[in-house]
Amino acid sequence: MGRPEPAESPVESQSGLENGTPSLAQPARSNFKNVLIILGCAVGQISLIASQSIISALPTIGRDLHIPQQTLQWPISAYALTSGCFLLLLGRLADVYGRRRAFILGIAWFTAWAIACAFAQTAVQLSLFRAFQGIGVAAATPAAIGILAQEFPPGRMRTIAFATFSCGAPMGGSIGILVGGTLTQLASDSWRSMFFVFAGLAVLAGLAVFFAVPRDKFDDRTDRRVDWLGAAMITVSLVMLLFALAQGEVAANGWGTPYIIVLLILSLFGIATFLCWEWYLEYRAGYPPLMRLSLWKRANGKFAAVQAIAFVVWIAFNSWIYWATLLYQSYLGLSPVRSMIRFIPMFVSGATCNFIVAMLVGRISGSILLAIGSAATGVACLLFALIQPHATFWAFGFPAATIVVLGADFTFATGSIFVAKVALPHEQSLAGGIYNTVMQIGAAIGLAVTTVIADRVTSTQSRKLGYNYDPRNPGYVPPEAQIRGYRAAQWAGFGFCMFSLLLVLVFLRDIGKVGGPHKPVEDEEITKSTAPSTLMGTSPESPSPAPPSQLDRKEA
């Protein structure tokens, strides 16, 4: 196939590989197609995340469909449940059967169920349609990450591509709030119209990728076996975990409800079993696992550290949006549009972050961007932990909305580029799926933890004022108790951000520049992962010599 080349970082060779096997060099592509690929993936990300951020429309949805307060979160939770639980499996399938195909099918599936959501007539229908919609997200998101890593070799263009794509996450959240709030109040179809908007954006993204990204190519040597047993174990376990987290606070007896306890125990046992099974497949059976555990040790463990930071930052970011929305609508009684206006700075600063990341990620250490992001989101949480609700918006709301997105944007962009840097070509979509799964679980856990804290504080303060507060049947809540609960939730978010900042300072001080051309990653685990045993499925203990074609990863 070609002359042996010096050992190098796996990412430096991605431009010459298709789905983990050598391919001919890619033909020159016009700048227009490059832009179309980037915008297609970014707009897809915006649409998928925006559809998740419908919280500004929840009060109206609850009134129209007669959804009780204690189950009002399910249109959001059902979406997060499936989109988070299927990421690993569908990321692996994208690597095996083609990222372009996975993205287009995921977008088509998402669009169909978004339209179905617009016609839902009951709470059960809406939650069920939202759950099916989330599966499309789980297919399209890791596929988009794989497409960008596959189509853009390391360099400035890849940095711009990932920065633009990553900007879609916080911008999508902002757009979801803005569009949801505006259409809910002003459109004739109220909240239903926003699902048509999200479907339209998804169609545009799918068309861009369809026309700009080359057809998926495959090699006969590609190991296309899938660890279906492992996929079933982790998917079912995550479904049980996220369901228990979403339902625990509003169940009949709260977290002490028997089925909540059983689900939590079974989910944790299932995750532990999955990890043991993946270790057995990787190191003993010679069968390609769904998720190589050695991936978490890449770059001397920095891959795992980046995952942990994203997990913690997403706890705080997602919780801030949730409790800020409740403050504006439930406490201050603002309309959806007036609440939406207060989130506009998020959209502006999120777009600005795109340019900042694209300019700096290849010039300064990634640890600086991650530290700034953690600190900025922490300050936003702190402002709302100290907020005086009737003070001017410019005192607390504006600065918090302006900087809260820095944590999400800097973390997502820097982390995505780093994950692509240390992941091998044939596992790009899977690695992206892992990264997004971690953030989805972080968002779910953050909402559960801060809800427990807020409810406990609200209940305590209500009793002091002579009222009984039950989160399963709230009734009247004294404003003094309600604002104390909201503040307590934001204090928790501030604590999570400070923990994230600590992780950056301790584990990622020497991460270096994660964007642009880079030196080889000194990590023996990468060398092990490129061996024929892991690419072709033979036993790692097999004495078969490695053919040059599997080791020469820079043949383009």
Side-chain angles (χ1 to χ4, degrees):
M1 294 290 292
R3 297 189 306 275
E5 298 286 346
E8 59 181 351
S9 167
V11 174
E12 292 186 81
S13 61
Q14 283 166 200
S15 60
L17 288 152
E18 298 277 357
N19 291 326
T21 57
S23 67
L24 297 177
Q26 296 180 1
R29 187 168 52 224
S30 67
N31 288 332
F32 174 74
K33 280 200 171 183
N34 285 335
V35 172
L36 202 59
I37 292 173
I38 295 172
L39 290 181
C41 292
V43 171
Q45 177 79 337
I46 289 173
S47 175
L48 303 179
I49 298 298
S51 187
Q52 184 176 0
S53 304
I54 63 169
I55 187 172
S56 57
L58 277 185
T60 305
I61 293 175
R63 288 192 298 270
D64 287 355
L65 300 183
H66 309 291
I67 305 176
Q69 177 69 31
Q70 60 267 30
T71 58
L72 187 56
Q73 87 282 1
W74 268 110
I76 292 179
S77 298
Y79 184 89
L81 190 70
T82 52
S83 63
C85 295
F86 284 89
L87 278 165
L88 286 179
L89 171 61
L90 296 180
R92 168 63 177 160
L93 293 179
D95 285 331
V96 171
Y97 294 106
R99 293 151 186 162
R100 177 180 180 269
R101 178 183 302 170
F103 183 87
I104 293 172
L105 290 176
I107 286 294
W109 182 272
F110 170 90
T111 302
W113 291 105
I115 295 174
C117 289
F119 292 99
Q121 299 300 316
T122 66
V124 174
Q125 287 180 2
L126 181 60
S127 297
L128 185 63
F129 295 162
R130 290 280 290 168
F132 281 118
Q133 190 185 14
I135 298 176
V137 179
T141 301
I145 294 174
I147 287 172
L148 294 179
Q150 170 184 291
E151 298 300 321
F152 298 101
R156 181 169 179 78
M157 200 63 187
R158 170 182 277 195
T159 300
I160 294 173
F162 271 100
T164 305
F165 173 78
S166 302
C167 185
M171 284 186 65
S174 303
I175 289 174
I177 295 172
L178 301 180
V179 171
T182 303
L183 294 181
T184 296
Q185 184 169 337
L186 301 180
S188 58
D189 290 332
S190 187
W191 56 270
R192 299 179 186 276
S193 55
M194 67 181 175
F195 287 107
F196 292 115
V197 174
F198 300 149
L201 288 174
V203 169
L204 291 177
L207 289 175
V209 170
F210 179 82
F211 288 110
V213 177
R215 290 181 177 272
D216 297 307
K217 298 178 182 179
F218 304 97
D219 192 289
D220 292 338
R221 293 164 298 177
T222 302
D223 191 341
R224 302 175 71 177
R225 293 176 295 175
V226 177
D227 174 21
W228 293 106
L229 179 57
M233 282 192 287
I234 190 61
T235 301
V236 172
S237 299
L238 289 177
V239 167
M240 291 190 294
L241 176 63
L242 296 185
F243 178 85
L245 291 174
Q247 195 69 9
E249 189 67 5
V250 297
N253 296 313
W255 294 97
T257 305
Y259 77 85
I260 296 295
I261 297 174
V262 171
L263 287 176
L264 287 174
I265 293 174
L266 288 178
S267 65
L268 295 177
F269 177 77
I271 292 173
T273 304
F274 166 75
L275 295 176
C276 294
W277 174 249
E278 296 303 287
W279 180 89
Y280 171 75
L281 292 183
E282 181 175 3
Y283 294 105
R284 291 290 183 266
Y287 193 94
L290 181 68
M291 179 186 71
R292 286 187 173 84
L293 298 186
S294 58
L295 178 62
W296 292 80
K297 297 188 288 185
R298 297 280 172 84
N300 299 316
K302 291 183 176 63
F303 178 90
V306 168
Q307 306 296 319
I309 291 165
F311 173 82
V312 177
V313 168
W314 233 251
I315 288 177
F317 176 69
N318 190 70
S319 299
W320 184 90
I321 293 177
Y322 179 79
W323 295 106
T325 303
L326 289 184
L327 173 70
Y328 289 141
Q329 292 197 28
S330 297
Y331 183 83
L332 295 178
L334 300 180
S335 66
V337 169
R338 293 182 65 191
S339 298
M340 171 272 297
I341 292 173
R342 284 159 171 75
F343 289 104
I344 288 178
M346 288 179 59
F347 177 81
V348 177
S349 59
T352 305
C353 284
N354 175 40
F355 298 101
I356 295 175
V357 172
M359 292 179 60
L360 297 182
V361 75
R363 300 172 181 268
I364 64 176
S365 173
S367 60
I368 296 176
L369 292 173
L370 292 172
I372 292 174
S374 298
T377 300
V379 171
C381 293
L382 180 62
L383 286 170
F384 268 61
L386 301 172
I387 193 170
Q388 300 299 319
H390 298 289
T392 175
F393 167 71
W394 305 102
F396 295 93
F398 176 77
T402 301
I403 63 175
V404 69
V405 75
L406 268 66
D409 211 349
F410 284 0
T411 300
F412 193 89
T414 306
S416 295
I417 296 171
F418 181 77
V419 166
K421 174 181 177 180
V422 302
L424 294 164
H426 64 279
E427 58 189 17
Q428 286 291 334
S429 292
L430 174 63
I434 293 173
Y435 192 55
N436 281 271
T437 299
V438 166
M439 290 187 291
Q440 291 280 4
I441 296 175
I445 291 179
L447 192 56
V449 170
T450 55
T451 298
V452 170
I453 293 173
D455 285 343
R456 296 297 180 270
V457 172
T458 302
S459 179
T460 300
Q461 295 299 319
S462 295
R463 284 197 300 270
K464 290 181 179 179
L465 296 171
Y467 295 91
N468 290 322
Y469 171 77
D470 184 354
R472 294 177 294 277
N473 187 20
Y476 174 75
V477 183
E480 299 89 342
Q482 189 177 22
I483 191 62
R484 289 286 187 92
Y486 292 171
R487 287 171 177 164
Q490 297 289 10
W491 274 115
F494 173 74
F496 281 118
C497 285
M498 293 304 99
F499 179 62
S500 173
L501 182 59
L502 179 64
L503 291 176
V504 174
L505 297 177
V506 173
F507 295 105
L508 297 181
R509 287 177 299 175
D510 58 343
I511 192 175
K513 303 171 185 177
V514 301
H518 52 269
K519 296 180 180 179
V521 177
E522 300 296 335
D523 193 330
E524 64 178 2
E525 291 299 329
I526 290 181
T527 303
K528 293 178 182 178
S529 297
T530 58
S533 62
T534 55
L535 286 176
M536 302 302 296
T538 59
S539 171
E541 298 175 357
S542 171
S544 302
S549 61
Q550 292 292 343
L551 297 176
D552 301 342
R553 300 191 306 277
K554 191 177 181 182
E555 297 191 24

